[in-house]
Amino acid sequence: MIDLYHCMSARSFRPLWALEELQLPYRLHMLPFPPRALARSYLQENPLGTVPLLVHGGGAEGSSHAVRMTESAAICQYLAALHPAAGLDVAPGDPAYGAYLNWLHMGEATLTFPQTLLLRYGRFETPERLQPQVVTDYTRWFLARLRAVEAAVATGPWLCGDRFTAADVSVGYALLLATHLDLADQWGDATRAYWQRLQERPGYQRALAAQRTAALAQGVSCVPSPDTQP
């Protein structure tokens, strides 16, 4: 069994989306944001107090033999590699393997990171700690690097050509976060069309529905989490 600890629309949406694309059974544990402050018992599961936490094997209580992972892009890679027949993975011998890994990790390290600074220093710090220059600089930083996505999806439907992979899940979450920051009107036409294709995927739609259903059932707010993870 797979257990996923998740906050509404936070980085943990990546593995949730991957699980739905793979149509694997899982248990979804919804947490208030930030869990390290509002769900202190969660620190016993993940001392970092961040989401995601994926526990594979050993059940929700965990065990010495369970796989425990906290990096959202790495979890997507792990799940895709375990189920290669589903097509979300790219094998090492494939000519697209290098591009696949690059996009998979760019989604987090290059495209999500600057947006966390926009959230923290543009919205969630106290008024005296807000940093408008940081917001301006890292908005430009994000949009400049998004040009790589624009170029890639201008020549094919997905980042690895004609096949949807875990790399699209990783980059797709960065685009989802950007919509919460009202940055979509600054995207290129190809990126906007790509985002529309991502939203039309049944796996994406099931993931949205799953987090909302679980949040309501578990008494957690359905408001998207401010995914700054400081």
Side-chain angles (χ1 to χ4, degrees):
M1 177 55 70
I2 294 172
D3 288 272
L4 177 64
Y5 294 81
H6 173 49
C7 293
M8 196 76 179
S9 295
R11 283 176 170 91
S12 42
F13 188 77
R14 281 191 181 105
L16 176 59
W17 183 359
L19 286 165
E20 288 294 347
E21 290 284 350
L22 293 165
Q23 299 189 56
L24 298 175
Y26 63 90
R27 290 183 292 230
L28 186 60
H29 305 269
M30 299 298 299
L31 296 165
F33 188 91
R36 66 187 175 282
L38 300 180
R40 298 288 296 176
S41 61
Y42 175 59
L43 295 173
Q44 298 175 22
E45 293 290 339
N46 176 14
L48 296 175
T50 59
V51 291
L53 169 64
L54 181 128
V55 182
H56 186 193
E61 298 299 322
S63 79
S64 59
H65 302 295
V67 171
R68 304 176 71 85
M69 302 180 68
T70 59
E71 292 296 325
S72 63
I75 293 170
C76 292
Q77 183 177 353
Y78 171 77
L79 293 171
L82 286 182
H83 303 276
L88 262 65
D89 191 35
V90 176
D94 192 295
Y97 181 62
Y100 164 71
L101 291 181
N102 200 60
W103 288 118
L104 182 71
H105 296 288
M106 181 184 284
E108 173 61 19
T110 300
L111 298 178
T112 298
F113 164 72
Q115 296 186 80
T116 66
L117 297 177
L118 306 189
L119 282 164
R120 182 167 187 172
Y121 292 108
R123 300 190 180 187
F124 299 116
E125 283 287 0
T126 56
E128 66 273 13
R129 286 178 54 83
L130 294 176
Q131 298 288 337
Q133 191 62 54
V134 170
V135 173
T136 297
D137 290 348
Y138 279 91
T139 296
R140 292 173 178 165
W141 199 94
F142 167 74
L143 293 170
R145 283 146 183 82
L146 194 63
R147 288 199 292 264
V149 176
E150 177 77 6
V153 297
T155 59
W158 310 114
L159 294 171
C160 292
D162 293 333
R163 51 184 163 174
F164 178 89
T165 70
D168 296 291
V169 172
S170 180
V171 171
Y173 174 73
L175 296 181
L176 173 62
L177 184 57
T179 66
H180 293 314
L181 287 165
D182 301 320
L183 296 176
D185 61 348
Q186 300 182 66
W187 299 349
D189 291 342
T191 302
R192 282 194 289 270
Y194 173 57
W195 174 233
Q196 185 61 41
R197 290 193 294 276
L198 289 168
Q199 293 178 91
E200 290 170 356
R201 290 193 64 83
Y204 175 84
Q205 295 172 13
R206 287 194 301 268
L208 288 177
Q211 67 173 359
R212 179 174 178 80
T213 299
L216 291 171
Q218 297 174 34
V220 175
S221 173
C222 291
V223 176
S225 303
D227 195 358
T228 57
Q229 298 289 320

